[in-house]
Amino acid sequence: MTGITALAIHLPRLRLQRAAMAAAMGWLCPRGETRGTRTLAYWDEDPITMAVAAARACLAQVPEARTAVRALTFATTTPVFAEPQQAALVHAALRLPEATRTQDVGGTMRCGLLALHAALESAEPALLTAADMPLNTPGGIAEMRYADGGVSALVGCGPNLLTYRGGASLSAPFIERYRAADRPLTTDWEERWVREEGFLDLVPRAIAEALGKAQLSAADIDHFALPCVIPGAAKAVAQAAGLSRAKLAQPLDLECGDTGAAHALVMLARAMEDMRPGERVLVAQFGQGATALVLEATDAISAFPSAASAALADGIAEPNYLKLPIFRGLMPWERGLRGRFPVNEALTTAYRNAEALLGFVGSRSPETGQVQFPPSRLAVAETGLFAETQQPWPLADLGGTVATATADRLAFSRSPPNCYGLIDIPGGARLMMDFTDPDAERLSPGDAVRFVFRIKDLDERTGFRRYFWKAVAAPAPSAAA
């Protein structure tokens, strides 16, 4: 039977404190709940980079799946581009086989779970990525509740963690949240209507149909995951659906907030850490209908890493509310002379060098072992340059060591200082790279780094953005290691 082979999440490290949000905007828009934090994507993160980060972590759990994947789906309600296809960029960054079929899906916050449902029903080796950066009106309660994050799941690429027992997706023209194509901000409808006529009507019906297809009763379910920013709605749905003995999955509202299209699977990843072999989980999501999937844990669940808990704990408290509107482009600010420049991208050059720029693939001499970036047909040796066959050499997973580090407060940066330096890569390559993440200024010579796929430049005139790889501090080795 088909099922989920691997599951991984990515949460931005910045955690915007809700108390700070209330302090900044409470004089204008009084708010109720101010506990906890919500994730805030750094200026060079977006749904594409978060999807790549989650997918890399997912593929790392099953390395051999990289060549087995036949379909890649990218799900989001906050697309970076109307055109081109974003899944193609994710595909290139992950270095998946050229024959992999790619597609974008969106339009509803359950698009991620819908894509998983389709993958499970097709039983084709597939990789699903979902990532969102919901953008809401400044000062509103939705701005506090929704957050940024990504998730990725492998289906049919090896032994299952969770076996698929059955599922159902119902469609309905129930609009609880909307945004016109030319508008950046989303509008939410009245909560009581959404709760009573939406969640409590459509989700229990989807659950009943899914249980019927799985040939199970509500009493057979041990865990229930349903993202909903309306307090108490998930518990009410569980009662309406007869899931009296099922343990409600943590909503993670205090730890990270609701990550939109990713959140059903973010909640599932956290719930899987507490599951035992043979237990069943029902994961559901609402949005222009409802989707419900029944999954059963195999013996492999015992070895499932506690990566979700680690990602939730690996946050940096952010007390400055203004970083949200600045990073999202909602507020004009003085950039100085160095910030007034266009980003011109030669699309022909970008395509010809896509493997190097998006996949971060260099070259290596099979005779000397010398690694080079950018890739070249000329091998470097102590005696000079000479032509010989060079092997493609992926660098993204190698990491490196800081050779030099600069924190530049004169150069333009959307989050000063502008941090960069030389990175030594195993095999002899040395590359000037940007450093990123909120603690980039702490990197110094000798520090170990890993590489992440991020935004390189933004062209605010055309909306185009370039992507490349940057360096962040590598996690400290565990005590066991």
Side-chain angles (χ1 to χ4, degrees):
M1 299 177 70
T2 190
I4 296 177
T5 304
L7 187 65
I9 72 172
H10 170 76
L11 298 176
R13 296 185 66 204
L14 274 184
R15 306 298 160 83
L16 186 56
Q17 298 170 342
R18 293 193 178 98
M21 299 174 73
M25 295 292 288
W27 63 274
L28 180 63
C29 308
R31 309 189 220 197
E33 181 61 75
T34 60
R35 294 182 302 154
T37 64
R38 52 148 291 178
T39 50
L40 173 62
Y42 203 49
W43 77 263
D44 61 351
E45 291 186 284
D46 66 12
I48 291 176
T49 68
M50 291 190 293
V52 170
R56 290 180 69 200
C58 190
L59 289 168
Q61 296 177 24
V62 190
E64 62 273 18
R66 187 182 297 274
T67 58
V69 170
R70 291 295 173 264
L72 168 66
T73 300
F74 174 65
T76 185
T77 66
T78 53
V80 175
F81 297 111
E83 297 180 68
Q85 185 193 64
Q86 292 149 109
L89 300 177
V90 176
H91 168 273
L94 297 175
R95 309 188 311 278
L96 296 177
E98 188 179 42
T100 304
R101 186 178 68 255
T102 59
Q103 64 173 343
D104 293 345
V105 297
T108 169
M109 282 198 172
R110 70 181 173 111
C111 61
L113 200 62
L114 275 168
L116 178 61
H117 188 195
L120 290 168
E121 290 285 342
S122 73
E124 180 182 38
L127 177 65
L128 160 71
T129 61
D132 247 341
M133 290 172 56
L135 195 56
N136 300 279
T137 305
I141 190 67
E143 185 184 48
M144 277 192 166
R145 290 174 169 174
Y146 289 105
D148 311 328
V151 70
S152 184
L154 272 169
V155 172
C157 293
N160 294 330
L161 292 168
L162 297 173
T163 298
Y164 177 56
R165 295 294 305 270
S169 289
L170 309 180
S171 297
F174 190 104
I175 301 176
E176 80 288 357
R177 181 177 170 87
Y178 63 90
R179 176 176 60 86
D182 61 344
R183 303 293 178 88
L185 302 177
T186 304
T187 300
D188 292 280
W189 198 240
E190 197 272 326
E191 280 190 3
R192 189 175 66 171
W193 167 262
V194 175
R195 180 181 185 272
E196 300 297 326
E197 297 297 328
F199 276 86
L200 286 173
D201 178 33
L202 287 162
V203 179
R205 284 197 276 143
I207 290 173
E209 185 166 340
L211 288 171
K213 291 185 176 181
Q215 298 182 340
L216 297 170
S217 70
D220 295 321
I221 302 301
D222 304 285
H223 302 267
F224 177 50
L226 173 67
C228 181
V229 297
I230 302 173
K235 183 177 180 180
V237 168
Q239 293 173 343
L243 301 173
S244 57
R245 63 175 295 272
K247 178 182 178 181
L248 282 178
Q250 297 179 35
L252 308 177
D253 52 338
L254 298 181
E255 294 88 348
C256 70
D258 188 302
T259 57
H263 205 57
L265 298 184
V266 170
M267 290 175 61
L268 175 61
R270 175 61 188 87
M272 287 169 63
E273 296 178 5
D274 301 326
M275 291 182 65
R276 295 175 294 180
E279 290 187 335
R280 302 182 183 98
V281 58
L282 196 153
V283 56
Q285 198 162 14
F286 175 81
Q288 289 73 69
T291 294
L293 307 177
V294 181
L295 301 153
E296 184 172 321
T298 69
D299 290 342
I301 199 73
S302 301
F304 184 67
S306 299
S309 291
L312 288 164
D314 184 29
I316 298 175
E318 178 52 67
N320 191 344
Y321 166 75
L322 287 179
K323 288 190 177 181
L324 173 57
I326 291 293
F327 287 173
R328 296 296 186 275
L330 295 177
M331 180 182 295
W333 55 289
E334 177 54 50
R335 300 158 186 259
L337 292 176
R338 294 176 177 84
R340 301 171 189 168
F341 60 90
V343 176
N344 295 316
E345 176 74 293
L347 298 180
T348 50
T349 301
Y351 174 68
R352 291 187 180 116
N353 295 282
E355 187 176 46
L357 297 176
L358 298 179
F360 202 20
V361 177
S363 58
R364 178 181 179 274
S365 167
E367 292 188 9
T368 67
Q370 175 70 41
V371 175
Q372 297 173 222
F373 189 91
S376 172
R377 67 180 185 85
L378 296 177
V380 177
E382 292 183 2
T383 56
L385 300 175
F386 60 95
E388 68 169 38
T389 303
Q390 296 266 52
Q391 302 171 327
W393 201 252
L395 306 178
D397 297 328
L398 294 183
T401 304
V402 176
T404 67
T406 299
D408 190 342
R409 293 190 178 274
L410 294 178
F412 170 75
S413 174
R414 286 177 169 81
S415 184
N418 188 16
C419 299
Y420 53 89
L422 284 171
I423 301 296
D424 286 325
I425 299 173
R430 173 172 278 194
L431 181 63
M432 180 69 73
M433 300 189 74
D434 290 325
F435 303 164
T436 191
D437 267 5
D439 53 1
E441 193 174 1
R442 298 182 181 180
L443 284 175
S444 59
D447 288 347
V449 296
R450 61 185 179 89
F451 302 130
V452 294
F453 188 71
R454 294 290 178 90
I455 299 169
K456 173 66 174 176
D457 294 303
L458 294 167
D459 189 333
E460 295 177 0
R461 180 178 57 86
T462 66
F464 192 80
R465 56 186 66 188
R466 294 191 298 166
Y467 296 91
F468 190 55
W469 297 78
K470 298 182 181 181
V472 300
S478 64

